[in-house]
Amino acid sequence: MIPFLDLKSINEHYRNELITACTDVIDSGWYINGQQLSAFEKEFSEYCGSKYCIGVANGLDALTLTLRAWKELGKVKEGDEVIVPANTYIATVLAITENNLTPILVEPDKATYNLCPKKTEQAITTKTRVILPVHLYGKLADMPAIIDIAERHQLLVLEDAAQAHGAGLNGRKAGNWGDAAGFSFYPGKNLGALGDAGAITTDDEDLIKILRALGNYGSHIKYHNVYQGVNSRLDEIQAAMLRVKLRYLDDEIVARRKIAHAYLTGIKNPLIHLPEINSESALSDKSHVWHLFVIRNTQREALQSHLLENDIQTLIHYPIPIHEQQAYRHWSKPSFPITESIHKEVISLPISPVTKSNDIEEIIKTCDLFNKEANA
């Protein structure tokens, strides 16, 4: 079986360094808010190009706490609107509704799957306060256009960079475009911890001060609680392991781009809709780090079964759009035809730094054989 994602093999590459890092933390006797976290925050902020970074428990908390901090700063208030792509993962919207803010779902650009700047500007009202672009599948959203819109309308920008560690444009990386950015280090991410972990990057010193308190029970000083905070901290062991893996991230992004290039040039089946990017650009396009390689097919279930019958594991990101989820059943019945078609057709092929070249060839061959026998 060709696995969709083999985390054991990925982490085997730096097993000895991870064990050493973990041992150092154990031997230090300091497991929360210590030197490893401080070092990782410094290294990751430098990597992204931001002034500040704060580690939190997970990617959802990164978004939720940032919006909460802006409320504490008086930049947003309950009921204000946050523009967000309709085809994102539900966590992006959970962060908005958790803060009693109003998500305004906007159709994506069907070519990139990312927030459409034109539709974004059309969705702005007098209650809009935040634009929340998602760098979906590892592709940087059209940040120059989004930043231009935000500046003209005096709006905040919060990047959901959970899938885009290292993606950039014009020398500026994800996490350094908006007023703040939320990252996830879930184990399957391009930069993945060995458990849940997340971070927020920003250049705003006032924001970072409030975030440090909010994630620590609302306290800057122990037992002195300024806010009704939560417990959301990136622990020392995960920070230590992320420091190890951060050193390999750029090389692994190169490996992902090579696999994407192989798929883009190799898959010829006209029934399979490939990502709309020039195949040669896949090797040099800094704006895409290929967290996922997502294709579309109108017979998705049949394609997935065909691949599985040939021992190729795939995943679907994501089968049900947010506006059709039970969690938001109280919403009116909005229609998002582009989003709905995307969610009905997408399927993700294996792509990781340890995906073998012969497996890639087998995946390409099997994709090209889909439906040929049935139509023979």
Side-chain angles (χ1 to χ4, degrees):
M1 176 69 71
I2 299 173
F4 176 75
L5 183 64
D6 185 353
L7 290 176
K8 181 178 179 180
S9 294
I10 289 174
N11 289 317
E12 181 69 28
H13 180 63
Y14 15 73
R15 174 185 173 86
N16 291 338
E17 290 176 77
L18 292 173
I19 290 172
T20 298
C22 186
T23 301
D24 288 345
V25 173
I26 293 170
D27 290 346
S28 76
W30 193 298
Y31 309 123
I32 298 288
N33 290 344
Q35 292 180 355
Q36 292 291 342
L37 177 58
S38 296
F40 174 71
E41 289 175 342
K42 180 177 184 294
E43 290 162 8
F44 192 64
S45 65
E46 290 175 350
Y47 179 82
C48 295
S50 63
K51 289 183 180 179
Y52 307 106
C53 170
I54 179 169
V56 294
N58 52 67
L60 174 56
D61 281 4
L63 298 177
T64 304
L65 289 172
T66 301
L67 292 170
R68 168 73 189 283
W70 281 338
K71 287 173 69 178
E72 296 291 349
L73 284 166
K75 294 187 176 184
V76 298
K77 63 181 185 304
E78 291 191 5
D80 282 346
E81 294 175 352
V82 180
I83 293 175
V84 64
N87 62 316
T88 186
Y89 182 55
I90 196 171
T92 317
V93 174
L94 289 173
I96 298 168
T97 56
E98 177 65 20
N99 280 286
N100 294 317
L101 300 169
T102 304
I104 302 299
L105 304 183
V106 171
E107 288 271 60
D109 181 324
K110 198 169 184 177
T112 66
Y113 306 111
N114 279 333
L115 193 62
C116 173
K118 182 178 179 180
K119 292 185 176 74
T120 295
E121 189 149 29
Q122 291 171 347
I124 294 171
T125 73
T126 56
K127 297 188 71 176
T128 306
R129 293 293 177 272
V130 182
I131 302 175
L132 209 170
V134 181
H135 308 314
L136 201 62
Y137 308 148
K139 170 70 173 173
L140 193 77
D142 188 351
M143 293 309 296
I146 290 169
I147 295 299
D148 176 67
I149 292 167
E151 289 177 348
R152 285 190 284 106
H153 293 272
Q154 297 183 307
L155 303 176
L156 295 163
V157 175
L158 172 56
E159 298 172 70
D160 183 338
Q163 301 183 7
H165 320 73
L169 182 65
N170 301 328
R172 192 172 174 183
K173 287 182 178 173
N176 191 33
W177 282 89
D179 297 277
F183 286 87
S184 168
F185 304 120
Y186 183 77
K189 303 298 185 185
N190 288 21
L191 178 60
L194 274 71
D196 271 320
I200 302 160
T201 56
T202 184
D203 287 346
D204 187 337
E205 185 177 6
D206 291 334
L207 177 65
I208 210 75
K209 286 179 180 177
I210 292 181
L211 285 168
R212 288 206 180 278
L214 286 176
N216 187 40
Y217 302 100
S219 172
H220 292 291
I221 303 172
K222 195 169 184 178
Y223 303 130
H224 294 260
N225 304 85
V226 183
Y227 310 103
Q228 296 177 25
V230 298
N231 176 11
S232 182
R233 298 176 295 204
L234 175 57
D235 67 64
E236 283 288 280
I237 284 182
Q238 296 301 342
M241 293 189 177
L242 285 167
R243 291 185 68 200
V244 170
K245 298 182 73 174
L246 180 59
R247 296 196 287 268
Y248 295 91
L249 179 57
D250 285 341
D251 288 340
E252 294 186 351
I253 290 171
V254 170
R256 289 175 178 274
R257 288 183 177 134
K258 289 179 179 178
I259 296 169
H261 177 260
Y263 284 150
L264 289 167
T265 55
I267 298 172
K268 304 297 185 183
N269 192 331
L271 299 174
I272 293 175
H273 185 93
L274 297 169
E276 294 186 22
I277 181 172
N278 181 282
S279 58
E280 294 307 316
S281 297
L283 293 172
S284 59
D285 185 356
K286 303 293 186 184
S287 73
H288 209 322
V289 293
W290 299 100
H291 170 59
L292 299 171
F293 190 93
V294 179
I295 60 176
R296 295 207 317 270
N297 183 267
T298 56
Q299 304 171 63
R300 179 177 65 194
E301 285 68 29
L303 174 58
Q304 188 170 43
S305 296
H306 167 74
L307 291 164
L308 189 59
E309 287 166 4
N310 287 275
D311 293 327
I312 299 167
Q313 186 182 46
T314 59
L315 288 181
I316 295 171
H317 300 88
Y318 310 97
I320 305 172
I322 296 166
H323 65 278
E324 294 180 353
Q325 294 285 355
Q326 177 76 4
Y328 292 110
R329 62 189 179 278
H330 57 283
W331 285 356
S332 60
K333 295 295 181 182
S335 176
F336 298 98
I338 295 175
T339 293
E340 289 159 16
S341 69
I342 288 172
H343 283 263
K344 288 176 184 176
E345 297 175 5
V346 291
I347 181 170
S348 302
L349 298 179
I351 184 168
S352 83
V354 298
T355 306
K356 299 174 183 176
S357 57
N358 58 324
D359 288 343
I360 296 165
E361 292 173 4
E362 184 64 26
I363 292 166
I364 291 169
K365 182 181 76 172
T366 306
C367 283
D368 280 346
L369 287 173
F370 175 64
N371 253 6
K372 284 193 176 179
E373 298 91 342
N375 295 330

